[in-house]
Amino acid sequence: MTSHVRHITIDCADAYALGSFWAQVLGAPLSDEDLPGDPEALLETPGAAVLFVQVAEKKQAKNRVHLDIQPHDRSRDEEVERLLALGATLVGDHRRPNGRGWATLADPEGNEFCVECSAAERAALSGTRLPVTADDVTTAVRLAVDTLATAPVDRWEARAGSLEWTCWETAEHLGDDLFAYAVQLGPRTPPLDREVPFRWAPDREGGPHNAVFADRADGPAGLLATLEASGALLASMTRTTPPGVRSYHGYGISDPEGFAAMGVVETLVHTHDLAEGLGLGWAPPAALCDRALARLFPDAPAGGDRWAVLLWATGRAELPGHPRRTAWRWDGRPLEDQTASSAG
């Protein structure tokens, strides 16, 4: 048995006031049970909870433990300016033009913390590949579910684009794909030579082989709930599995990022199939397509409309200057393994 970190606890003179500052920094509310003057204030944030505890002693020296934060919707420099306006002070500036380094700030009670570039900003500044993440899985699935939720109820038995399955079956298959990728990362020792042995079978002759089926009595809303739940499973497994873990896939032993990228591609292209059958528009974000292409299709053409390139890479559309693919597969191996194989 082992322990886990429940809170990151910060001693302070005014728990509620300092907690309120950090609530603005992290965009998360203080607990409803905490009030001004209370000796404790709890801030629940994704991945960790920060607990502020009032103590009599004043801060004496530099903290031996501090928080590092990354903005997601603005640059590092913009975030530093925002935090200074909230009441932080600049203690040290170690920022570099290539995205490395950090700015050291202090909160209103003098506790040091650092602001770094987001992964996206660092990749843009350094010219490196931006990895596919658990957040990408969540984004892809939620965009898909929000789009599919607008479909007419009577269209779900129509054929999904060029597939031989109905739209209902295709959405079930997509949810099953996300579930399958998640469970490959689940065992303490993931298999390297086979899939985790769930039983996959079709609901009808010619239908997709699934382990996950939606209850038709709950209609399209229930179907989309199963899809979103499977996406959440994959996002959670991607986020919590160490990056060095490897597990079996038919297109090459892969890592958590690889399974996340597979889930993103499955979601984007099968939602394209579904949108054709349901009469909906569907154009996912170019940056999301680009990250998935870089991870699974490193030989795909650079530049141009990244969604068009992804449709071409998966055999769903033509791309000027390139023959249409009649057969395709991604390379799920970690990029360092692909490079080693090519060099060998």
Side-chain angles (χ1 to χ4, degrees):
M1 300 294 290
T2 59
S3 298
H4 69 277
V5 175
R6 176 65 184 96
H7 299 130
I8 299 169
T9 301
I10 299 176
D11 291 348
C12 57
D14 188 330
Y16 189 83
L18 192 60
S20 297
F21 167 81
W22 278 98
Q24 295 181 81
V25 173
L26 301 176
L30 287 176
S31 169
D32 293 337
E33 299 178 359
D34 295 324
L35 299 171
D38 285 353
E40 298 180 357
L42 179 64
L43 186 61
E44 294 277 7
T45 65
V50 185
L51 178 64
F52 301 90
V53 177
Q54 184 173 315
V55 298
E57 300 83 10
K58 293 184 178 180
K59 183 177 183 292
Q60 299 294 324
K62 182 181 182 297
N63 292 2
R64 296 297 299 272
V65 177
H66 66 269
L67 303 181
D68 290 340
I69 64 173
Q70 287 182 317
H72 292 289
D73 57 354
R74 58 181 65 88
S75 72
R76 174 186 58 190
D77 295 349
E78 291 170 337
E79 181 68 348
V80 168
E81 294 303 316
R82 183 181 79 90
L83 299 180
L84 292 175
L86 290 177
T89 55
L90 182 64
V91 175
D93 196 338
H94 309 283
R95 289 174 281 187
R96 299 177 185 175
N98 65 356
R100 299 185 66 84
W102 60 90
T104 301
L105 277 66
D107 69 20
E109 291 204 13
N111 299 298
E112 297 89 359
F113 65 97
C114 294
V115 183
E116 301 177 349
C117 284
S118 67
E121 184 182 11
R122 182 175 294 177
L125 291 172
S126 63
T128 57
R129 182 183 72 87
L130 186 63
V132 181
T133 67
D135 288 339
D136 287 332
V137 175
T138 299
T139 295
V141 173
R142 289 182 178 177
L143 287 173
V145 168
D146 289 348
T147 296
L148 298 174
T150 66
V153 174
D154 60 357
R155 293 290 295 270
W156 283 93
E157 292 307 311
R159 200 171 85 169
S162 61
L163 304 181
E164 296 298 324
W165 303 329
T166 68
C167 289
W168 182 284
E169 291 172 333
T170 302
E172 279 185 329
H173 167 74
L174 172 55
D176 188 79
D177 281 339
L178 299 173
F179 169 83
Y181 298 151
V183 299
Q184 281 302 115
L185 297 170
R188 283 177 290 177
T189 304
L192 298 178
D193 58 351
R194 59 187 173 87
E195 295 174 342
V196 175
F198 285 88
R199 188 176 73 88
W200 274 270
D203 201 30
R204 65 168 180 86
E205 185 176 352
H209 285 64
N210 293 353
V212 175
F213 294 92
D215 188 342
R216 287 183 175 266
D218 281 332
L223 172 64
L224 296 180
T226 66
L227 173 56
E228 192 163 12
S230 292
L233 287 176
L234 178 56
S236 295
M237 291 306 302
T238 301
R239 183 173 288 110
T240 58
T241 303
V245 168
R246 300 289 185 267
S247 188
Y248 174 82
H249 185 273
Y251 290 175
I253 292 173
S254 198
D255 59 352
E257 187 205 352
F259 284 107
M262 295 177 209
V264 167
V265 170
E266 296 276 14
T267 300
L268 300 186
V269 301
H270 279 316
T271 302
H272 166 78
D273 301 329
L274 287 161
E276 286 192 335
L278 295 169
L280 304 173
W282 173 244
L288 185 60
C289 299
D290 188 59
R291 291 193 290 278
L293 281 164
R295 179 59 177 81
L296 295 180
F297 301 95
D299 60 341
D305 183 333
R306 305 314 286 160
W307 176 224
V309 174
L310 183 57
L311 289 175
W312 169 83
T314 54
R316 285 169 167 78
E318 296 181 354
L319 190 68
H322 301 274
R324 181 161 184 164
R325 289 189 164 181
T326 57
W328 63 274
R329 59 186 291 169
W330 57 54
D331 192 337
R333 296 173 298 164
L335 292 185
E336 57 267 27
D337 294 352
Q338 297 178 26
T339 303
S341 175
S342 298

